[in-house]
Structure formats: structure tokens, C-alpha cells
């Protein structure tokens, strides 16, 4: 059921991306990053002879063959599924929106921003559920496997060259006229790429954000048990002393997903309405039940800094 839910949401994310791209970006001849941008280049270079979806799918198959050993079989299978659905969605919506003969929104600025938001939302949804739209997402996934570099930042670096390549698309006119027409489109392409990446990062990081609770209560044992049983989160119990009262107290520390924080508050309020609570947002929590550290370790212990050698047994 979990896998089925993931695949349904991945399809939803891919459809959102496809609509944002074909309805608001492609009609204005804006070249964005990724295989969508490569497909756009080929589409306009061949005067619409080769659809964007065909180029996309071919590029995805090549990249997946290169990335198989790094990202693993599960990611590859989900990406093949995602790339197939994505190409089909692009093909369907491309015929619909490009067949209109004019953009849905005439204002290129608003159209580009809206398209970027929808595309970024789609990418974020797909990545949160361990899928991929393919293309530079595959490159980003390979990088994220060995480092903590954000997926959005990796996409920006790899997409910049693709967007800039639109200057070489066929154009009838002088070089000065080419620049006056193509440079604004390149700028729009870069803006779309940055907004798309930012939106994708925001969706992904919102899902990964965690909350840290520090709880002081006379009913600490009951709260800890209820958090374990209802919220299914671990609790750390520490000894402390209230310096004003000079009495020993128990301090509870709880880490949970941001979306689970309301559940923790309800548990505490139901047991002890007078509990003293401190809540803080945490950028990352790594360990069982949360995220996995993606840090590439050096193979030779002699290459480790002195402090790392001394603490190697703890790594």
C-alpha cells in the first residue's frame, strides 16, 4: 500500500510538472534546464518535427544506464516509471496546449513564473516520494547520494549550460537581432530554472524539517509513555535541577517531524496543562526514523584529520 501510494503521488507530481511546462513555458519558446530543456532545443531546432517527449525519453534512458550503479535498482526502476509517465504526459499536454496556436497567458513574465512554480512543485512532490522526473534529477540524485549538496543547487549548475544553448537556435536575422530576441528568453529560462529549483527545495525541505521539544512536567513518565505509544517517537529523559526551587526535575527531549508537532502538543496538553515546553525548529535530524547522513568518508584512515582518527571508532 505504501508503494502504491508513492506511485500515485509520483504520477500526480509528474502531471503537475507537465502542465506547468507545456501550458506556460513551452508556448513562449523559453528553454529551461534538464531534459525538458534539451527536448525544447531539439523541438524548435527541427521546427516541431521531433516532439519534446521523444527527446526526453531518449536522454533519460542514456542517463539511467550511466547512473545504475550509483543510485541503485529501486531508484532506476522508479525513474523509468517516472520518465515513461512524464514523457506520455508531456506528449499529451504538448499536443493540447501547442495546438492552441497561442499561449494561455500572453504576459510572458507571469507565464514563466507560474510555470516555474508548477514545475518546481511537481519535482518536489516526486522527489519526496523517492521518484524522479529523469534528466538532471538523475544527476542531482547521484550527487545527493554521496554529499549533502542540495538537489536544487545541483540542478542549477547542470541546467545553466542547457539554458544558455538556446542562443544557437535557428534565427532569421542579423547577429544583433538574434541577441535582442534570444537574450531575454535566456534570462527568462534562467529565472524559471532558479524558481523551479527553489520551489523544489522548499517542498523537499519542508517534508524533512523536524521539531525539537524540551518538556518539563511532573507527569513526565505518563507523557513519555504516551509519546511512544501514540506519536511513535522516541523520548530521551534527562536529570535536571530547577535552580529557583532547588528541586530535582526530569527533562524530556523529543524530536519529530514538523507535521507531527501538533500531535505532541495535544498529548502534553491532555496530560499536563501546566507543563513547561520549549519548541525549536531543526534543519536536520539524522538517524533511525529520520534522514540518513550522506557524507562520503575517506577510505584511508591516514587521510583523516587528527580529531577524526581519535574518534574513528565512533564513526
Amino acid at each position: 500500500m505504501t508503494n502504491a501510494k508513492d506511485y500515485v503521488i509520483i504520477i500526480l507530481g509528474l502531471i503537475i510538472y507537465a502542465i506547468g511546462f507545456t501550458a506556460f513555458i513551452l508556448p513562449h519558446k523559453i528553454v529551461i534546464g534538464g531534459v525538458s530543456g534539451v527536448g525544447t532545443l531539439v523541438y524548435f531546432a527541427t521546427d516541431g518535427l521531433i516532439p519534446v517527449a521523444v527527446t526526453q525519453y531518449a536522454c533519460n534512458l542514456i542517463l539511467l544506464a550511466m547512473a545504475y550503479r550509483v543510485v541503485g535498482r529501486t531508484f532506476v526502476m522508479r525513474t523509468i516509471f517516472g520518465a515513461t509517465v512524464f514523457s506520455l504526459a508531456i506528449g499529451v499536454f504538448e499536443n493540447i496546449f501547442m495546438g492552441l496556436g497561442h499561449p494561455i497567458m500572453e504576459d510572458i513574465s507571469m507565464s514563466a513564473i507560474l510555470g516555474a512554480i508548477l514545475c518546481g512543485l511537481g519535482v518536489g512532490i516526486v522527489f519526496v516520494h523517492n521518484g524522479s522526473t529523469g534528466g538532471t534529477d538523475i544527476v542531482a540524485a547521484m550527487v545527493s547520494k554521496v554529499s549533502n549538496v542540495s538537489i536544487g543547487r545541483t540542478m542549477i549548475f547542470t541546467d545553466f549550460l542547457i539554458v544558455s544553448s538556446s542562443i544557437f537556435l535557428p534565427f532569421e536575422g542579423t547577429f544583433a537581432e538574434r541577441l535582442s530576441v534570444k537574450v531575454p528568453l535566456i534570462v527568462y529560462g534562467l529565472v524559471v530554472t532558479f524558481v523551479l529549483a527553489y520551489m523544489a527545495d522548499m517542498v523537499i525541505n519542508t517534508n524533512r524539517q523536524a521539531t525539537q521539544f524540551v518538556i518539563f512536567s511532573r507527569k513526565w513518565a505518563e507523557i513519555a509513555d504516551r509519546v511512544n505509544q501514540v506519536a511513535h517517537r522516541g523520548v530521551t529523559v534527562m536529570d535536571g535541577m530547577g535552580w529557583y526551587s532547588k528541586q530535582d526535575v526530569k527533562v524530556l527531549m523529543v524530536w519529530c517531524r514538523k507535521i507531527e508537532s501538533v500531535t505532541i502538543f495535544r498529548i502534553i496538553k491532555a496530560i499536563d496543562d501546566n507543563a513547561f515546553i520549549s519548541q525549536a525548529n531543526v534543519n536536520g535530524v539524522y538517524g533511525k526514523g529520520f534522514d540518513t547522513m550522506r557524507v562520503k568518508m575517506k577510505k584511508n584512515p591516514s587521510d583523516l584529520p587528527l580529531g577524526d582518527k581519535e574518534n574513528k571508532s565512533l564513526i
Side-chain angles (χ1 to χ4, degrees), residues 15-306:
I15 291 174
I16 292 174
Y17 189 115
I19 292 175
F21 173 69
T22 57
F24 301 103
I25 297 174
L26 189 62
H28 288 287
K29 298 184 178 181
I30 298 174
V31 176
I32 64 174
V35 291
S36 299
V38 175
T40 303
L41 289 171
V42 175
Y43 178 80
F44 288 117
T46 59
D47 197 22
L49 181 63
I50 301 178
V52 175
V54 174
T55 306
Q56 272 187 332
Y57 203 62
C59 291
N60 280 328
L61 292 180
I62 295 172
L63 286 171
L64 282 172
M66 297 168 56
Y68 182 82
R69 290 187 178 182
V70 178
V71 297
R73 182 176 179 273
T74 301
F75 181 85
V76 168
M77 294 304 296
R78 290 199 180 204
T79 303
I80 289 176
F81 168 78
T84 303
V85 174
F86 187 40
S87 295
L88 290 173
I90 289 288
V92 171
F93 290 114
E94 179 184 337
N95 290 330
I96 294 175
F97 294 113
M98 294 302 288
L100 296 175
H102 60 84
I104 293 179
M105 294 183 65
E106 295 295 335
D107 187 342
I108 186 173
S109 299
M110 291 302 299
S111 185
I113 295 299
L114 181 56
I117 291 174
L118 289 176
C119 289
L121 177 62
V123 170
I125 290 173
V126 170
F127 261 89
V128 164
H129 292 272
N130 299 317
S132 172
T133 58
T136 50
D137 297 353
I138 301 172
V139 179
M142 287 191 290
V143 173
S144 68
K145 285 287 183 180
V146 296
S147 72
N148 283 323
V149 177
S150 72
I151 290 172
R153 187 180 304 172
T154 305
M155 290 169 63
I156 289 174
F157 292 149
T158 54
D159 292 344
F160 179 80
L161 182 61
I162 298 174
V163 176
S164 302
S165 299
S166 63
I167 192 73
F168 301 110
L169 285 174
F171 181 81
E172 295 181 1
T174 64
F175 181 72
E177 290 173 339
R178 174 189 289 269
L179 290 179
S180 65
V181 173
K182 296 295 184 181
V183 170
L185 290 178
I186 291 176
V187 173
Y188 280 120
L190 293 174
V191 169
V192 169
T193 301
F194 275 90
V195 174
L196 191 159
Y198 175 79
M199 190 68 187
D201 267 354
M202 187 170 66
V203 173
I204 294 168
N205 291 333
T206 297
N207 181 71
R208 290 178 177 174
Q209 279 182 353
T211 301
Q212 173 184 287
F213 285 94
V214 179
I215 307 164
F216 300 83
S217 172
R218 296 182 183 277
K219 300 179 180 180
W220 58 271
E222 189 177 349
I223 292 175
D225 288 339
R226 192 73 63 85
V227 170
N228 284 159
Q229 297 167 4
V230 177
H232 304 291
R233 285 298 179 187
V235 181
T236 300
V237 182
M238 299 183 295
D239 292 319
M241 174 180 285
W243 195 246
Y244 181 80
S245 62
K246 302 299 188 295
Q247 294 182 354
D248 293 333
V249 295
K250 295 292 185 180
V251 183
L252 305 182
M253 292 195 70
V254 180
W255 289 269
C256 67
R257 295 289 186 187
K258 190 173 183 179
I259 59 175
E260 298 171 329
S261 58
V262 174
T263 301
I264 303 298
F265 272 118
R266 287 174 177 170
I267 291 172
I268 299 170
K269 184 175 178 62
I271 296 174
D272 184 2
D273 198 26
N274 295 318
F276 186 84
I277 310 165
S278 172
Q279 177 190 12
N281 291 327
V282 182
N283 288 332
V285 176
Y286 303 94
K288 188 175 180 180
F290 291 92
D291 296 322
T292 302
M293 289 186 290
R294 300 186 181 98
V295 180
K296 189 175 182 180
M297 301 300 296
K298 295 181 179 180
K299 296 181 180 179
N300 189 355
S302 62
D303 293 335
L304 292 171
L306 181 59

